[in-house]
Amino acid sequence: MTFPSFMLRVHRWDSLAVVDVDGVVDLATVPLLRAALHELTPHFTSVVIDLADVPLLDGHSVGVLVSTHRRARKHGHDVRLRSAQGRVLRVLEISGADKLCDDDTPVPHTDGEDCTSDTLLRARARADEQYRDTLREMAVAASYELASALARSYRGRGESVDDLIQVAMVGLLKAVNGFDPEHGSGFRAYAVPTIVGEIKRHFRDKGWMLRVPRRMQEIGMELAGARDVLAQRLGRAPTISEIAEQLRLTREEVAAALDAAQVYRPGSLSAPVGGEGDGELVLGDLVGGIDDGFELVENRESLRGLLGRLPSREQRILALRFYGNRTQAQIAEEVGISQMHVSRLLTGALRRLRDGLTGC
């Protein structure tokens, strides 16, 4: 996805909020900054706007910052600017707004709570229609690292990290679209289970090459984590019994889930096998085929009993024809009957043998 060229980052410490602004602040972007500030100023006694990453600030934007400062003062709160430099500082000095600059405002060195997405989504709910989509995109961009980290926590389970990040972003978009600021809980508390649920749903519904019972899929999702925990604790690979005890399952359930996990990503028949010097041998070369010899043995054993039921003369004629490789004329001369009679006896014997094999 593409990220907005103008971005805000909001961190808070108790009653202090620091807004890091990144990008040009002008007629097109200052409404976004104003929407965020109007969301923050009623709730924080001090709001600091960091302009270190702002290359340009126009006169209209200065007026918005001054009016926001006055609005905050009506609530007994304060808005200050810091880290202005170059052309940005010059614009503030010319307009007389440099009095809002206060680089001496103490900001804690410890990391504050990131409330960027909360601020943007709350501001979006009250912003003009024309700015809501942009505020939504900014909220998605602000939470990209959260979604990416959650996706990476599921790596090594048969799916590429890039695919997992794409799935996590789908979950993030659902969280952004479904978040209701009026419910009181923070966006992160809502987004994390939504994103994780989307990732787990992907593993359950899309990741398996063959369909297995959902219960086996759910156990399979827990197996990897349980094995890692037990391996670290025991210093060796855990047994099925130990895994079953860890997950509070039976040995049969764990064994079945382990078997089911083998069909998550079956091996390719084109995968090379063997070591060096084995040529281009692939797995498909080792797959056995149908051996016609088994059917031949079965038919031969079935015929043995059927042959025993034929008259001795017909048994002898069949032996001379198919084992002795004699012609009908040679058989007729040896048996002492006509060739036509030999043909009729062969036809009748073969018909009875065929009927006996096919059950007709």
Side-chain angles (χ1 to χ4, degrees):
M1 65 175 295
T2 58
F3 294 127
S5 58
F6 176 79
M7 192 61 199
L8 304 175
R9 283 287 179 183
V10 183
H11 293 82
R12 65 185 180 190
W13 296 263
D14 297 328
S15 60
L16 168 67
V18 176
V19 182
D20 294 319
V21 185
D22 186 355
V24 173
V25 182
D26 57 12
L27 188 63
T29 59
V30 75
L32 306 174
L33 176 59
R34 178 174 55 192
L37 293 176
H38 284 190
E39 177 60 37
L40 292 170
T41 49
H43 307 292
F44 294 91
T45 58
S46 180
V47 176
V48 176
I49 306 172
D50 194 312
L51 302 176
D53 295 319
V54 176
L56 178 64
L57 180 73
D58 67 4
H60 173 74
S61 302
V62 172
V64 170
L65 293 176
V66 171
S67 63
T68 302
H69 170 75
R70 292 172 179 169
R71 182 173 182 271
R73 293 297 295 269
K74 292 180 180 180
H75 295 280
H77 298 169
D78 194 21
V79 173
R80 291 292 173 179
L81 309 178
R82 64 176 292 160
S83 303
Q85 52 191 338
R87 288 183 294 177
V88 173
L89 180 58
R90 182 61 178 159
V91 170
L92 292 173
E93 290 173 344
I94 292 174
S95 63
D98 57 320
K99 61 185 179 182
L100 298 181
C101 295
D102 185 5
D103 288 344
D104 295 329
T105 300
V107 175
H109 296 292
T110 57
D111 292 336
E113 180 185 354
D114 188 335
C115 60
T116 305
S117 294
D118 291 79
T119 302
L120 294 172
L121 292 176
R122 292 179 188 278
R124 175 176 180 255
R126 300 176 176 83
D128 294 339
E129 185 71 29
Q130 58 184 321
Y131 301 118
R132 289 179 183 175
D133 287 344
T134 304
L135 288 168
R136 172 183 175 274
E137 292 176 9
M138 293 171 65
V140 172
S143 297
Y144 173 80
E145 291 301 328
L146 170 64
S148 179
L150 291 172
R152 286 187 171 86
S153 68
Y154 285 86
R155 64 183 181 272
R157 302 191 184 189
E159 293 287 318
S160 71
V161 174
D162 288 342
D163 288 345
L164 290 176
I165 291 176
Q166 292 297 320
V167 174
M169 291 305 296
V170 172
L172 175 59
L173 291 173
K174 290 182 177 180
V176 168
N177 293 334
F179 178 66
D180 185 356
E182 300 303 324
H183 281 178
S185 60
F187 175 72
R188 185 185 181 93
Y190 177 76
V192 169
T194 303
I195 296 171
V196 170
E198 191 67 26
I199 295 173
K200 289 184 176 180
R201 190 177 300 109
H202 171 77
F203 277 105
R204 186 189 68 205
D205 298 336
K206 304 291 180 61
W208 296 81
M209 293 294 289
L210 301 177
R211 295 296 296 171
V212 300
R214 179 173 295 184
R215 175 60 175 164
M216 291 296 100
Q217 295 182 25
E218 293 172 348
I219 295 175
M221 292 287 292
E222 299 174 357
L223 284 178
R227 280 186 293 193
D228 291 343
V229 170
L230 289 172
Q232 185 174 9
R233 182 193 306 167
L234 302 173
R236 56 173 174 78
T239 64
I240 291 180
S241 297
E242 291 167 340
I243 296 175
E245 183 179 355
Q246 174 75 11
L247 297 177
R248 297 181 180 179
L249 301 170
T250 65
R251 293 183 74 260
E252 290 73 18
E253 288 176 317
V254 173
L258 289 171
D259 289 339
Q262 303 304 312
V263 303
Y264 185 80
R265 278 290 184 269
S268 172
L269 293 177
S270 300
V273 296
E276 296 182 2
D278 291 335
E280 297 297 328
L281 188 65
V282 297
L283 183 61
D285 297 331
L286 304 180
V287 177
I290 298 176
D291 190 341
D292 295 332
F294 289 108
E295 186 177 1
L296 181 61
V297 171
E298 183 179 351
N299 290 338
R300 183 177 297 171
E301 292 302 313
S302 299
L303 280 173
R304 189 187 303 276
L306 296 174
L307 285 170
R309 299 174 189 173
L310 294 176
S312 59
R313 185 171 62 172
E314 293 183 10
Q315 292 183 31
R316 183 184 178 191
I317 291 174
L318 288 173
L320 291 171
R321 179 70 183 92
F322 294 104
Y323 291 95
N325 201 26
R326 307 286 183 86
T327 66
Q328 290 186 9
Q330 292 171 335
I331 296 173
E333 183 178 352
E334 183 170 339
V335 177
I337 58 178
S338 67
Q339 181 179 342
M340 185 176 294
H341 196 182
V342 170
S343 177
R344 287 199 298 268
L345 291 175
L346 276 174
T347 301
L350 292 175
R351 184 177 60 252
R352 288 194 293 273
L353 292 177
R354 187 182 303 111
D355 292 345
L357 285 176
T358 58
C360 296

